[in-house]
Amino acid sequence: MTASLTLDAVSKRFRGAPTTAVSDVTLHVAAGSCTAVLGPSGSGKSTLLRLVAGLEAPDAGRVLIDGHDVAGVAAERRGVGMVFQKSLLFPHLSVLDNVAFSARVRGESRRTARSRAAEFLEMVQLRGFGTRRVDELSGGQEQRVAIARALAAEPAVLLLDEPFSALDPALRADMHALLDELRLTVGPTILLVTHDRDEASRVADRIAVLDGGVLQHESDIAGAYRAPTSVRVAELMGARNLVPGVIAGGVHTSALGEIPVPDAAVSGPAVLIVRQEDVQVRRSAEAPTSQHPLAGPGRPGPRADGAGRAPLAVETVTPAPAQEARWSGTVESARASGARMDLTVRVTPTVLLHAEVTAAGAPRLGERVDLTIPTGTAHVVAG
C-alpha cells in the first residue's frame, strides 16, 4: 500500500513560542517516492513530521494523504508509520513481539501476527533475531527492528525522523542500503527528516530545504545542489563559492571579472555560486605576471596539449574554451577530507575560491595554481 502526501499551506505555532514553528508550507510527495526534508536544528523539520503523523494539529492548512484531508483523523488511523532517532522499542517484549505489536492491536491472532512479523524481520535482514530481548541488540539492529515494526503496520506513508543520525558511518551506510532495498520491495511513500545533505542526496528522490519554519527550496537532487533558490539554500547545500556582484545581459560582474551565466533568471545585484567540486585545478607552469579574470581573445589560457602543466592526481582537466573563466592564484589552505582535499586559493586581493580535488598529489600551501570554472556550472541568485 502506498499513497501520495500533500501539505497544503500548513502552519503551526506552539503556545508561548516567540516564532512560528512551521509557516505556510506547501509540499507534495508523490506516491512511492522519497523526499528528504533538510534543515538545521530548530528549522521545523520534526514539527512537520508530527503534523503529518497526527501528533500535532496544524493551526492552518491541510494535510492530505492520497488526496484525503486527514484533519480530525486519529494518528493510528492515518495509515502513517513513524521511526524516530531513538528506536523506542518496548523493552518488555521480544524483538518478534515488538514487530507484531501493530497486528495484535488490530485484533489479529498471536500466531498470525508473529508469522507476519517474522517476514518483516527477514525483510530488514534480522532473520532469527525474533527471540532476542531488546537490550541484546546493537544500535543498528534496534533501528532495523523499529523500521520493521513501522512497516508491519502497513503504512501508506513512512515518516523517518533522523533515524540514522546516532549510528556510526558504516552502520549508516548499511541503513541507507537497507532503505533502498525496502523501497524496491515495499515501495512506501517516504518523508525523511535529516540535517545531513549527504544522507538526503543518498536516499531521496527530492530535497525540500526548510529554514526558520519556511520552505526555502524544493527540487530534485541536482537542482538542490546546482540551482539553489537563494544564498541561504546554497549554504545549507554546502556551496562555498559565493561571490557578490551584478548581473546584466546574462553576464555576472564582480571582483572576479565578467562571467557568462546565460540562463540566469535574475538581474541586478546577484551572488555568483560555483560548487567547489566544479572548480578545476592545475599547477601553474610559471607564476603569472597578472590576473586574467576571463579567458578570451588576447587572453590565452593553457596550451591545448597541456604542455608544461601537471594535472593534479587523477583529475581530468579538458582545455577550456575561450568563454570559460580562468584565474591564477596561491593556495592559502589545504584541508584533507577523506580521500579528497579542500583547497582555498587566493585569486584576487578580495576573493578566495574553494576547490575540491583528490588528496593524492594535491598542491601544497603557497603553491601557484590555475583555476577554471567550466561553462554552464555557474549559477546566480538575487543578492
Side-chain angles (χ1 to χ4, degrees):
M1 180 180 179
T2 187
S4 63
L5 168 66
T6 301
L7 300 172
D8 180 20
V10 169
S11 295
K12 177 67 179 181
R13 183 167 185 164
F14 293 102
R15 182 177 299 176
T19 59
T20 302
V22 173
S23 180
D24 196 30
V25 170
T26 294
L27 178 66
H28 179 73
V29 185
S33 70
C34 176
T35 290
V37 180
L38 178 72
S41 298
S43 61
K45 304 186 302 296
S46 293
T47 297
L48 204 65
L49 284 197
R50 293 176 66 83
L51 290 170
V52 174
L55 301 178
E56 302 287 351
D59 298 329
R62 301 181 300 163
V63 176
L64 299 99
I65 296 177
D66 212 20
H68 302 291
D69 189 347
V70 293
V73 178
E76 64 272 15
R77 296 184 180 277
R78 290 193 175 195
V80 171
M82 192 164 181
V83 179
F84 298 88
Q85 182 175 348
K86 294 184 178 180
S87 63
L88 302 181
L89 299 177
F90 302 122
H92 63 288
L93 297 180
S94 68
V95 166
L96 188 66
D97 285 335
N98 262 278
V99 179
F101 180 79
S102 59
R104 293 288 289 149
V105 170
R106 289 196 302 265
E108 295 184 13
S109 68
R110 183 184 299 273
R111 173 176 298 197
T112 300
R114 283 182 168 180
S115 175
R116 187 73 174 129
E119 294 177 13
F120 282 102
L121 282 176
E122 186 164 353
M123 195 177 295
V124 297
Q125 301 169 9
L126 288 179
R127 182 179 184 179
F129 279 68
T131 59
R132 296 195 185 188
R133 300 191 312 272
V134 170
D135 60 9
E136 294 177 316
L137 302 176
S138 67
Q141 290 167 346
E142 283 191 27
Q143 287 302 77
R144 286 175 185 264
V145 174
I147 291 174
R149 183 176 65 179
L151 291 175
E154 300 181 348
V157 176
L158 180 62
L159 306 177
L160 303 177
D161 191 0
E162 302 197 61
F164 315 134
S165 61
L167 304 180
D168 64 47
L171 282 177
R172 293 184 73 183
D174 289 344
M175 296 303 290
H176 296 161
L178 172 65
L179 204 56
D180 287 342
E181 294 174 12
L182 293 175
R183 293 188 63 193
L184 289 173
T185 56
V186 184
T189 302
I190 299 175
L191 191 62
L192 164 73
V193 155
T194 181
H195 63 273
D196 185 342
R197 58 181 173 270
D198 292 332
E199 178 169 83
S201 61
R202 167 66 180 82
V203 303
D205 303 305
R206 301 182 70 82
I207 291 180
V209 180
L210 199 66
D211 191 41
V214 177
L215 184 63
Q216 305 283 351
H217 179 104
E218 194 276 331
S219 73
D220 60 17
I221 307 301
Y225 276 97
R226 303 288 179 183
T229 51
S230 68
V231 169
R232 180 56 176 160
V233 172
E235 290 172 339
L236 290 172
M237 294 307 301
R240 302 186 65 197
N241 295 313
L242 308 169
V243 184
V246 175
I247 190 163
V251 176
H252 186 271
T253 304
S254 69
L256 288 176
E258 295 183 348
I259 297 178
V261 190
D263 60 348
V266 299
S267 60
V271 176
L272 178 77
I273 301 171
V274 180
R275 296 289 309 183
Q276 56 272 19
E277 302 93 342
D278 290 333
V279 178
Q280 297 178 346
V281 182
R282 292 174 68 90
R283 287 192 172 85
S284 295
E286 57 185 4
T289 56
S290 62
Q291 300 292 334
H292 44 281
L294 182 68
R299 292 180 178 178
R303 286 174 52 183
D305 62 359
R309 299 176 187 272
L312 296 178
V314 295
E315 298 291 320
T316 299
V317 181
T318 302
Q323 68 268 30
E324 290 191 345
R326 293 178 178 153
W327 301 267
S328 290
T330 302
V331 177
E332 290 199 354
S333 73
R335 181 171 58 87
S337 178
R340 308 287 290 177
M341 184 73 73
D342 295 328
L343 304 179
T344 302
V345 181
R346 174 73 62 183
V347 295
T348 79
T350 59
V351 178
L352 294 166
L353 283 182
H354 300 273
E356 185 179 297
V357 301
T358 54
R364 299 179 297 275
L365 293 179
E367 190 169 349
R368 296 290 293 180
V369 294
D370 292 335
L371 306 179
T372 302
I373 296 177
T375 301
T377 60
H379 177 69
V380 293
V381 296

